[in-house]
Amino acid sequence: MAAQRIRGQERAVRARVGPLVPVVVARAPVAARTRLGPQQVAERLAVARIPARFVPPGALRDPTRAVGATSSIDIPRGAYVTKAALAPARDPRTALRRGDRAIDVEVSGGARLAALGGPGARVDVVVTTEPRDGAARAFVAADGAELLSLRRGDGGRAVATLRVPVKQAVFLTAATSFGRDARLLIRSPGDLAPAGRIGYAAPGM
């Protein structure tokens, strides 16, 4: 009789909280900005089984889904690993350092750019302005920016995501807002020298 009563109580509890389901937890602390390769996943993540009612939103069920991702925040030992705590592989945000900003710039010559340099290439951004009261101008609006990604835009143009310091991001935003055209000049590998304040103006440009 006692055993039957206990089994009845267990069934009642399962009905309230749901069946046990797998969730991924941190078996060891994971610092923010840690890239999780197969070895890191095997060493730092584990699977626990908890009642379905207590599974947090976005919790991973399979640790292999974390391979290639980068932790967005510190994940303490024993914490659930959720999608919000991870940045997916190839997420440009993981390349940003303190004081950096990622900025999208629509540029000409997208097809040629893809052949010359991919993510990680260093580029200078040259902006051309419309001739209004004076001459048209072309000037370097950002130098030594890191190309994070390049994707197809409209009308044969491309959209480049660049990593630049915050001051340069603000200047580049203003320059491209009032400019007519923007182009990327791909640098040779390892060229980190400042381009300097280079510009050109010509009445007939």
Side-chain angles (χ1 to χ4, degrees), residues 113-201:
L113 288 172
L116 291 173
R122 292 285 178 170
V123 301
D124 299 324
V125 184
V126 177
V127 174
T128 303
T129 63
E130 290 281 3
R132 290 178 180 149
D133 298 335
R137 287 198 313 136
F139 60 95
V140 175
D143 68 331
E146 181 180 352
L147 181 63
L148 297 180
S149 67
L150 186 68
R151 60 189 186 275
R152 183 176 299 177
D154 297 327
R157 299 169 71 83
V159 178
T161 300
L162 307 175
R163 180 175 69 83
V164 295
V166 61
K167 288 184 178 180
Q168 202 169 64
V170 173
F171 180 74
L172 190 55
T173 299
T176 53
S177 296
F178 297 106
R180 180 185 66 192
D181 185 58
R183 293 179 179 269
L184 299 186
L185 306 182
I186 307 293
R187 292 188 172 206
S188 61
D191 182 2
L192 302 178
R197 301 180 68 86
I198 302 174
Y200 177 77

Side-chain angles (χ1 to χ4, degrees), residues 35 45 48-49 102 180-181:
R35 188 179 183 281
L45 305 185
R49 299 183 68 84
R180 180 185 66 192
D181 185 58

